[in-house]
């Protein structure tokens, strides 16, 4: 059965074509022969398949349905028992409970070991096919919605529970609405209340900035920004308006198969519809995050542990994606069909973070498994030959937009940004003629979003997003011979030197030079960029600042290593030499440490002798034995390792607090006292930004970095909030000449990030 399970679990082997009418019967016949003895193995294989390729979940749901029906028929002829398929479902439920207990939200969504909502997706498809009882799933969704009403619930926990409930309704809302319309309406109402309750927090997470806009109106005024829970609520509201009579227009094709007949609709003597009831469960509380509670942690963003990237801290900030294409090119995620397509692409990005090449291949292969009306420009084999279909959205634009918008999520992306940049490169290599134009359009759109002087009321890219955009641009250009149409941006060389577009050009060229060399990049640029007045290209090639000059104590070691590199020695020789250098330096440090300890002990001994002589001169008795006993008792009163750890924690806490105070002091001092910081906050000032100079653009950029400082370091800032407010923010009230508008904006950003009032 081992090989059969492998066939079931690897989707490329299971579904040799995307035709479920041909593939599912073949698999049913193969698996049925080994039931019921192998039911647990079959369930595990199916779970692995669902995990790796969640866009095939409807196929697996149909496979379970067909197995259920065939085993029911076999039971009448003595060939098998329907209980075997029930065993498969029970095994799925056990896995679901495991993920629920561990709060693995992605797995729960898909019903497989990757994310939490995945399990719910699988159960929802089975409800639509009438294998799982609708009432049992509805009760399960209500338990997720109950999380939203928990006192002090974190945004991350509430958002994850909301997605589990809402995405299930998109897939089986019709079946649930027929059973209990009031219960379904209550779930949607709860999701709306939750989404509207975090509107102000969305301001700090928005990739597009309008300093003059009210937080609650920001996203509504910008078509380029979308928050996932808000989009889900709008998609559900559209289905609710039609009483869930109209299913999403775009689904993986297998989901459109006919469900099992309802029991009451069957004629006498026919088989009873097999249904499986999900057990009622409660969502367990979050485990205590000691690191987050202490507030003592590293810088925000994915960190490296043991040479591998570690998932970032769960931040209580809404996830907002940026849109780069119009609705007729990429789907509007406030529609049911658009939301399903976008979340499917997002699941692939998250699951295949460990293998960008496989992710790129699966993304371009996605149209095979979806309804033919979903993507345009695709060729499909339908048994009668290949025909061109008149399809709807551009797969390549969806892939590029989803990848980049996730890479630019604030304050930090789910994975290392380089993963998303490398994935774009792989997509271009697999299909340069189709992905290349999508990438070019994305670059031009992002460049316009830096700030579009032609559109008065448009926002501008957040400074952190602009930083990531230019880094991606330089990385991407380095993979494709630095070919770009630089002449398109020549008119922008006349803008203010501190304008975001001018800074983008300067930074992009600087990074390209780092990835190549000065003369190589200079050749790719038009002559207008060579002009010193353009400040786009350095006047001369940058040189190395060599630290290990002849006067440096480690000059000889550095020269020996450079000699090996210049001579192109083998990697093993260089590594061995480096290891020897490390051992030599470690020996020196150990010797220096021993020497220092000896000096310290000598000073302590001299000090003790001086104290003893002083006591003796006063006629006091010096009990050396007692002093020794006390010293020994003090040395052994606590573990040396614990003592060292406490000292390290104390030092880290002190240094972290000092750094945060200094940073906040700098922001408050500049933004509160600078004349430009307060004058640019009005709508009228933003509309006249074409006349801004160095002071205004520097102030605008500082506001951006202050916003990023507050949202990125919110967990650490909350730990020292009383100290920071009394030491730094109080200067807004005590310092003369502080601009009232600037002071109000500083406090608004601070309170939004830290949950104050």
């Amino acid at each position: 059965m081992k090989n059969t399970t492998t066939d079931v679990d690897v989707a490329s082997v299971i579904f040799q074509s995307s035709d479920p009418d041909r593939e599912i019967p073949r698999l049913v016949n193969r698996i049925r022969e080994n039931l019921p003895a192998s039911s647990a193995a079959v369930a595990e294989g199916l779970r692995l398949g669902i995990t790796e390729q969640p866009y095939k979940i409807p196929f697996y749901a149909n496979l379970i349905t067909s197995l259920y029906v065939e085993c029911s028929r076999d039971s009448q002829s003595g060939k098998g028992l329907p209980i075997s398929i029930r065993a498969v479902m029970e095994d799925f439920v056990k896995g679901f409970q495991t993920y629920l207990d561990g709060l693995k939200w992605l797995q729960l969504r898909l019903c497989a070991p990757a994310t939490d909502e995945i399990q719910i997706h699988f159960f929802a498809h089975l409800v639509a096919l009438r294998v799982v009882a609708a009432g049992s799933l509805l009760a399960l969704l209500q338990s997720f919605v109950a999380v939203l009403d928990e006192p002090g619930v974190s945004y991350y926990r509430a958002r994850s529970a909301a997605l589990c409930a809402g995405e299930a309704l998109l897939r089986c809302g019709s079946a649930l609405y027929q059973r209990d319309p009031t219960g379904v309406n209550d779930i949607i109402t709860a999701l709306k209340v939750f989404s509207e309750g975090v509107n102000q927090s969305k301001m700090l997470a928005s990739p597009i900035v309008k300093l003059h806009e009210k937080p609650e109106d920001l996203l509504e005024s910008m078509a380029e920004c979308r928050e996932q829970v808000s989009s889900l609520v709008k998609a559900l509201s559209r289905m609710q308006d039609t009483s869930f009579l109209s299913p999403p227009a775009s689904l993986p094709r297998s989901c459109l198969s006919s469900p099992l007949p309802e029991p009451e609709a069957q004629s006498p003597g026919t088989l009873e519809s097999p249904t499986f009831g999900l057990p009622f469960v409660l969502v367990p509380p979050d485990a205590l995050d000691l690191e987050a509670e202490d507030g003592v942690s590293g810088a925000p963003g994915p960190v490296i542990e043991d040479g591998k990237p570690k998932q970032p801290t769960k931040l209580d900030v809404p996830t907002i994606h940026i849109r780069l294409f119009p609705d007729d090119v990429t789907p509007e995620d406030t529609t049911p069909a658009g939301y399903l397509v976008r979340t499917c692409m997002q699941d692939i990005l998250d699951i295949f973070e460990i293998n960008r090449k496989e992710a790129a291949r699966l993304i371009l292969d996605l149209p095979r498994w979806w309804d033919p009306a979903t993507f345009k420009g695709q060729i499909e084999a339908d048994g009668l030959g290949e025909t061109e279909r008149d399809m709807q959205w551009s797969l390549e634009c969806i892939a590029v937009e989803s990848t980049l918008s996730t890479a630019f999520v604030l304050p930090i992306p789910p994975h290392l940004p380089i993963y998303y940049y490398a994935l774009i490169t792989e997509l271009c290599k697999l299909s340069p003629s189709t992905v290349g134009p999508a990438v070019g359009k994305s670059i031009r759109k992002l460049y316009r979003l830096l700030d579009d002087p032609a559109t008065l009321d448009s926002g501008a890219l957040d400074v952190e997003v602009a930083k990531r955009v230019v880094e991606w641009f330089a990385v991407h250009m380095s993979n494709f011979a630095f070919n770009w149409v630089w002449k398109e941006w020549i008119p922008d060389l006349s803008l203010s030197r501190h304008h975001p577009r001018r800074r983008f050009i300067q930074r992009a060229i600087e990074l390209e030079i780092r990835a190549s060399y000065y003369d190589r990049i200079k050749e790719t640029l038009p002559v207008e960029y060579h002009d010193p007045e353009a400040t786009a290209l350095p006047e001369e090639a940058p040189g190395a600042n060599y630290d290990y000059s002849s006067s440096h104590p480690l000059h000889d070691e550095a020269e020996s290593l450079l000699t090996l590199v210049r001579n192109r020695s083998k990697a093993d020789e260089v590594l061995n030499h480096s290891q020897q250098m490390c051992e030599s330096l470690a020996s020196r440090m150990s010797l220096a440490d021993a020497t220092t300890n000896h000096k310290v002990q000598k000073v302590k001994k001299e000090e003790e002798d001086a104290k003893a002589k002083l006591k003796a001169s006063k006629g006091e008795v010096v009990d050396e034995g007692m002093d020794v006993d006390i010293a020994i008792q003090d040395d052994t009163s606590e573990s040396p390792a614990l003592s060292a750890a406490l000292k390290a924690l104390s030092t880290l806490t002190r240094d972290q607090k000092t750094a945060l105070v200094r940073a906040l002091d700098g922001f408050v001092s500049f933004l509160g006292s600078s004349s430009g910081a307060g004058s640019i906050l009005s709508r009228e000032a933003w509309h006249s930004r074409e006349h801004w100079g160095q002071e205004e653009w520097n102030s605008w950029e500082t506001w951006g970095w202050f916003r990023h400082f507050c949202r990125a370091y919110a967990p650490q800032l909350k730990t020292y909030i009383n100290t920071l407010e009394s030491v730094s923010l109080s200067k807004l009230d005590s310092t003369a000449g502080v601009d009232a508008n600037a002071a109000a904006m500083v406090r608004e950003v601070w309170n939004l990030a830290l949950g104050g009032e």
Side-chain angles (χ1 to χ4, degrees):
M1 186 56 204
K2 179 70 173 178
N3 293 335
T4 303
T5 304
T6 302
D7 287 345
V8 173
D9 110 50
V10 181
S12 61
V13 177
I14 294 179
F15 300 106
Q16 298 175 359
S17 75
S18 54
D19 182 7
D21 294 333
R22 180 173 57 187
E23 289 296 295
I24 290 179
R26 179 181 67 84
L27 289 170
V28 167
N29 292 333
R30 184 169 187 176
I31 296 174
R32 187 178 53 176
E33 297 173 356
N34 297 279
L35 292 177
S38 60
S39 59
V42 171
E44 179 63 19
L46 291 174
R47 186 183 296 115
L48 292 175
I50 292 170
T51 303
E52 295 177 2
Q53 297 180 352
Y55 54 88
K56 295 181 181 178
I57 287 178
F59 285 75
Y60 291 102
N62 274 262
L63 178 60
I64 287 290
T65 304
S66 299
L67 281 171
Y68 219 141
V69 172
E70 292 300 321
C71 287
S72 297
R73 292 173 179 170
D74 290 345
S75 65
Q76 290 187 341
S77 58
K79 294 182 179 179
L81 292 173
I83 194 64
S84 61
I85 300 302
R86 287 190 174 273
V88 173
M89 291 301 303
E90 289 171 357
D91 188 72
F92 267 100
V93 171
K94 291 178 182 178
F96 174 80
Q97 186 65 55
T98 301
Y99 303 138
L100 184 63
D101 292 341
L103 293 177
K104 298 180 179 180
W105 293 107
L106 181 58
Q107 288 90 327
L108 290 176
R109 283 178 57 238
L110 301 179
C111 184
T115 47
D116 283 342
E117 297 110 87
I118 298 181
Q119 283 202 2
I120 301 296
H121 293 181
F122 182 66
F123 291 144
H125 284 293
L126 290 177
V127 167
L129 294 171
R130 302 193 184 113
V131 174
V132 168
S136 64
L137 179 62
L138 184 61
L140 179 61
L141 301 186
Q142 290 170 340
S143 68
F144 281 105
V145 172
V147 171
L148 307 181
D149 296 327
E150 293 177 352
V153 62
S154 67
Y155 175 80
Y156 175 82
R157 175 179 170 86
R159 173 183 176 273
S160 300
L163 293 179
C164 285
E167 292 183 2
L169 290 182
L170 281 182
R171 290 164 171 82
C172 65
S174 178
L176 299 183
Y177 194 82
Q178 290 178 11
R179 177 179 177 82
D180 187 357
T182 302
V184 172
N185 290 334
D186 289 344
I187 291 177
I188 297 177
T189 300
L191 298 183
K192 286 181 180 179
V193 172
F194 167 69
S195 177
E196 294 170 356
V198 294
N199 275 342
Q200 289 197 335
S201 301
K202 297 173 185 176
M203 186 194 84
L204 285 183
S206 173
I208 298 180
V209 178
K210 287 184 180 181
L211 294 177
H212 59 273
E213 199 77 62
K214 293 181 179 179
E216 57 270 19
D217 301 331
L218 183 64
L219 291 187
E220 296 298 330
S221 64
M222 291 187 296
E224 294 88 357
C225 295
R226 288 291 182 269
E227 195 272 325
Q228 188 172 1
V229 178
S230 297
S231 298
L232 175 59
V233 169
K234 292 178 180 178
L236 287 173
S237 297
R238 295 194 179 196
M239 298 183 70
Q240 186 182 29
D241 292 340
T242 63
S243 299
F244 288 87
L245 295 178
S246 301
S250 175
L251 273 174
R253 65 190 67 190
S254 176
C255 187
L256 303 178
S257 301
S258 300
L260 295 176
E262 296 186 36
E264 57 269 20
Q266 295 174 343
S267 59
T270 60
L271 291 176
E272 185 176 319
S273 175
T275 57
F276 183 85
L278 300 174
F280 178 77
V281 296
L282 295 176
V283 182
D286 283 331
L288 181 63
D289 189 345
L290 295 177
E291 187 176 85
E293 290 291 325
D294 293 338
V296 180
S297 58
V303 298
I304 303 297
E305 286 190 357
D306 298 328
K308 298 180 181 180
K310 177 187 176 183
Q311 287 281 14
T313 305
K314 300 172 183 177
L315 298 174
D316 284 347
V317 179
T319 300
I320 300 179
H321 292 86
I322 189 170
R323 293 202 60 191
L324 304 176
F325 298 97
D327 294 346
D328 59 341
V329 179
T330 59
E332 170 61 65
D333 56 358
T334 58
T335 64
Y339 183 90
L340 289 173
V341 172
R342 286 188 173 275
T343 53
C344 174
M345 188 72 68
Q346 188 64 51
D347 287 336
I348 295 177
L349 294 178
D350 290 337
I351 292 171
F352 286 91
E353 177 266 338
I354 60 173
N355 191 338
R356 68 182 187 278
K357 294 181 180 291
E358 186 69 7
R361 185 189 67 80
L362 291 175
I363 287 173
L364 295 180
D365 194 47
L366 199 58
R368 293 179 55 210
W369 309 97
W370 282 70
D371 182 82
T374 303
F375 304 104
K376 59 184 177 182
Q378 302 294 329
I379 302 294
E380 178 176 340
D382 57 6
L384 299 177
E386 293 189 346
T387 58
E388 184 79 18
R389 302 296 181 103
D390 182 16
M391 299 186 185
Q392 191 172 3
W393 294 307
S394 169
L395 171 68
E396 294 78 14
C397 291
I398 296 173
V400 172
E401 182 179 270
S402 299
T403 304
L404 291 178
S405 65
T406 307
F408 302 151
V409 163
L410 295 172
I412 53 177
H415 305 289
L416 292 173
I418 193 62
Y419 158 64
Y420 302 102
Y421 306 162
L423 178 58
I424 295 289
T425 299
E426 295 299 330
L427 289 169
C428 289
K429 291 179 179 178
L430 288 177
S431 184
S433 61
T434 58
V435 180
V439 172
K441 293 176 183 178
S442 299
I443 293 174
R444 291 178 175 89
K445 175 67 173 181
L446 290 167
Y447 183 78
R448 288 196 299 271
L449 289 176
L450 287 169
D451 174 50
D452 189 358
T455 308
L456 290 180
D457 204 35
S458 63
L461 277 186
D462 182 273
V463 291
E464 171 64 17
V465 176
K467 169 179 169 290
R468 294 184 206 168
V469 171
V470 71
E471 290 172 350
W472 165 66
F473 175 81
V475 169
H476 190 77
M477 292 299 106
S478 69
N479 287 312
F480 296 96
F482 300 99
N483 290 326
W484 180 248
V485 191
W486 287 97
K487 63 181 181 181
E488 294 181 358
W489 298 342
I490 291 178
D492 292 334
L493 295 177
S494 60
L495 295 172
S496 169
R497 291 187 178 184
H498 302 275
H499 191 278
R501 292 190 178 185
R502 286 286 298 274
R503 296 216 171 174
F504 177 92
I505 292 172
Q506 184 180 10
R507 181 62 174 165
I509 295 175
E510 176 187 341
L511 292 175
E512 286 192 355
I513 293 174
R514 290 187 184 183
S516 181
Y517 55 94
Y518 181 82
D519 293 335
R520 170 73 175 85
I521 302 304
K522 186 176 181 180
E523 293 175 355
T524 65
L525 300 173
V527 293
E528 288 82 355
Y529 289 84
H530 301 175
D531 187 350
E533 291 297 322
T535 65
L537 186 70
E539 296 184 11
E540 59 183 15
N545 184 14
Y546 191 58
D547 291 335
Y548 298 96
S549 59
S550 57
S551 60
H552 197 281
L554 298 177
H555 169 74
D556 294 340
E557 287 80 357
E559 282 298 316
S560 63
L561 183 60
L562 284 176
T563 300
L564 290 175
V565 175
R566 293 191 187 106
N567 295 337
R568 298 184 178 181
S569 303
K570 295 182 179 180
D572 292 341
E573 296 180 16
V574 177
L575 291 175
N576 291 335
H577 185 75
S578 301
Q579 183 64 29
Q580 293 175 4
M581 289 175 56
C582 292
E583 293 174 356
S584 175
L585 292 175
S587 177
R588 293 187 192 181
M589 294 176 65
S590 177
L591 179 61
D593 186 56
T595 303
T596 302
N597 289 337
H598 175 72
K599 290 180 180 181
V600 171
Q601 294 298 329
K602 184 177 180 181
V603 171
K604 287 184 177 180
K605 185 67 170 63
E606 293 175 351
E607 183 180 359
E608 291 174 358
D609 291 344
K611 289 181 179 180
K613 291 179 180 179
L614 180 61
K615 289 183 179 181
S617 64
K618 294 180 179 180
E620 299 178 4
V621 177
V622 180
D623 190 347
E624 297 181 358
M626 182 179 295
D627 290 342
V628 171
D629 292 340
I630 294 175
I632 294 175
Q633 182 179 357
D634 291 341
D635 290 341
T636 59
S637 60
E638 61 181 16
S639 168
L642 176 60
S643 177
L646 292 174
K647 290 180 180 179
L649 177 61
S650 176
T651 301
L652 177 59
T653 303
R654 183 185 66 248
D655 292 347
Q656 189 179 77
K657 183 188 295 186
T658 301
L660 293 175
V661 168
R662 289 179 178 177
L664 186 58
D665 270 346
F667 282 119
V668 169
S669 299
F670 179 85
L671 297 175
S673 60
S674 173
S675 58
S679 63
I680 66 171
L681 297 178
S682 65
R683 183 183 300 272
E684 293 74 18
W686 180 246
H687 288 178
S688 61
R689 61 188 180 279
E690 60 179 330
H691 304 297
W692 283 6
Q694 176 180 353
E695 183 179 10
E696 289 81 5
W697 281 117
N698 280 347
S699 297
W700 186 89
E701 187 173 354
T702 305
W703 277 115
W705 288 120
F706 175 63
R707 287 159 47 92
H708 187 61
F709 169 76
C710 291
R711 69 190 169 214
Y713 291 95
Q716 293 82 6
L717 294 172
K718 289 179 180 179
T719 304
Y720 314 113
I721 186 170
N722 294 330
T723 301
L724 294 170
E725 289 184 345
S726 61
V727 173
S728 300
L729 291 185
S730 61
K731 295 179 181 179
L732 295 172
D733 301 322
S734 60
T735 304
V738 173
D739 186 280
N741 293 330
M745 177 62 75
V746 169
R747 293 190 181 279
E748 180 180 25
V749 172
W750 177 265
N751 290 332
L752 285 175
L754 275 67
E757 298 180 357

